[in-house]
């Protein structure tokens, strides 16, 4: 028993009511934990490490939608391109260029989110608002034809300060709306923000995709 089933079912129905997609973050948890949730009908799973994702994808059902939510190195892009469902953490133009290159080779279109830096910590990755705007214009010019930029992703500061987290999420929401205005009529519709300890604040700020691990699978070692 890996999954807190009651909590998962409650969470899933609460989020579904609000049209928010739940990505179950299974990093560091065994394949058996994913199978437990899969048996309840869940299909969206999030992983942070390429090798771990490859190992799990190999043994688990093929209809799982794998979300790569970690920091992706350019030299590992090639390995996940054939089967990844959504890459959340695109945090540099270099990475976007590499995803374009590898996606073109396999002849597929790859869905990604651009990561925005909203936290006060220096360790978190991502673009600032200005860089995002510049990038939006390149996207509009179809510089990355094999990449579908579906939206934005961000991580708030790890702090008890609710006001600060709320502000960071609102900043991300604002950037999301601005980019949507630059890319009218596009597939730019996903706002990925909110984790176990702050997803309620993210809901208030208008998220439509949350990435939740420990609340479902228990804390990680
Ligand atoms: C680990 C992780 C999560 C899930 O964190 P929990 O606190 O366990 O819900 C969400 N997003 C990213 C980017 C992560 O690395």
């Amino acid at each position: 028993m890996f999954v807190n089933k009651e909590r998962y079912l409650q969470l899933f129905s609460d989020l579904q009511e609000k049209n928010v997609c739940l990505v179950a973050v299974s990093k560091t948890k065994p394949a058996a934990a994913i199978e437990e949730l899969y048996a309840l009908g869940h299909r969206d799973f999030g992983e942070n490490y390429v090798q771990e994702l490859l190992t799990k994808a190999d043994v688990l059902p093929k209809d799982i939608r794998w979300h790569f939510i970690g920091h992706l190195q350019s030299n590992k892009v090639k390995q996940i391109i054939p089967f990844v469902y959504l890459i959340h953490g695109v945090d540099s133009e270099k990475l976007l260029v590499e995803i374009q290159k590898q996606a073109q080779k396999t002849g597929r279109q790859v869905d990604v989110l651009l990561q925005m830096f909203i936290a006060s910590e220096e360790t978190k990755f991502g673009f600032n608002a200005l860089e995002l705007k510049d990038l939006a214009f390149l996207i509009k010019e179809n510089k990355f034809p094999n990449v579908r930029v579906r939206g934005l992703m961000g991580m708030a500061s790890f702090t008890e300060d609710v006001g600060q987290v709320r502000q960071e999420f609102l900043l991300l929401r604002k950037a999301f709306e601005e980019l949507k205005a630059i890319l009218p009529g596009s597939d730019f519709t996903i706002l990925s923000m909110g984790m176990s300890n702050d997803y309620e604040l993210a809901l208030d700020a208008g998220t439509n995709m949350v990435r939740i691990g420990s609340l479902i699978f228990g804390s990680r070692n």
Side-chain angles (χ1 to χ4, degrees):
M1 284 282 288
F2 295 96
V3 174
N4 186 331
K5 279 186 195 171
E6 232 163 78
R7 192 184 275 170
Y8 162 76
L9 291 171
Q10 184 62 51
L11 181 64
F12 185 80
S13 80
D14 287 352
L15 292 170
Q16 199 177 35
E17 207 167 285
K18 298 183 163 89
N19 280 316
V20 174
C21 176
L22 170 61
V23 177
V25 177
S26 45
K27 65 179 174 211
T28 79
K29 301 293 175 183
I34 296 173
E35 276 169 340
E36 245 181 70
L37 212 55
Y38 183 91
L40 297 176
H42 204 79
R43 294 295 179 267
D44 290 279
F45 291 92
E47 290 285 339
N48 283 53
Y49 309 103
V50 169
Q51 194 48 55
E52 186 179 346
L53 171 57
L54 292 173
T55 306
K56 285 175 174 169
D58 196 40
V59 298
L60 286 163
K62 301 303 167 208
D63 62 340
I64 287 180
R65 296 188 286 263
W66 292 109
H67 296 247
F68 191 83
I69 64 170
H71 176 64
L72 182 59
Q73 290 169 292
S74 293
N75 62 358
K76 304 236 169 106
V77 168
K78 191 179 174 175
Q79 293 174 277
I80 64 168
I81 286 290
F83 66 92
V84 73
Y85 177 72
L86 180 64
I87 300 174
H88 288 231
V90 175
D91 58 2
S92 72
E93 201 177 322
K94 179 178 170 235
L95 182 57
L96 199 54
V97 167
E98 179 64 15
I99 294 171
Q100 164 57 32
K101 185 175 147 196
Q102 297 301 336
Q104 189 172 29
K105 272 192 197 169
T106 58
R108 66 166 294 206
Q109 267 213 326
V110 175
D111 283 7
V112 308
L113 304 178
L114 304 176
Q115 183 168 359
M116 183 179 182
F117 176 82
I118 52 170
S120 59
E121 294 122 2
E122 280 176 19
T123 49
K124 289 185 179 154
F125 300 96
F127 298 102
N128 64 35
L130 213 62
E131 292 167 336
L132 282 176
K133 261 192 201 168
D134 287 344
L135 209 49
F137 285 106
L138 292 183
I139 292 160
K140 199 177 174 176
E141 288 167 18
N142 205 23
K143 285 269 156 55
F144 311 100
N146 292 77
V147 182
R148 272 207 308 182
V149 179
R150 301 295 316 275
L152 295 185
M153 174 268 207
M155 287 171 83
S157 297
F158 188 71
T159 171
E160 301 281 302
D161 186 344
V162 169
Q164 184 181 342
V165 172
R166 200 182 291 278
Q167 255 195 331
E168 291 172 356
F169 282 149
L170 287 173
L171 197 70
L172 184 55
R173 169 76 192 275
K174 183 162 169 268
F176 176 67
E177 300 299 341
E178 282 172 1
L179 263 69
K180 224 163 50 170
I182 297 173
L183 303 163
S186 74
D187 306 305
F188 194 88
T189 55
I190 300 175
L191 181 55
S192 168
M193 61 180 190
M195 306 174 24
S196 290
N197 58 358
D198 59 17
Y199 77 94
E200 278 160 321
L201 296 171
L203 289 174
D204 290 344
T207 185
N208 58 32
M209 184 177 276
V210 294
R211 311 173 310 268
I212 293 184
S214 43
L215 205 59
I216 298 170
F217 293 111
S219 60
R220 291 175 296 273
N221 299 325

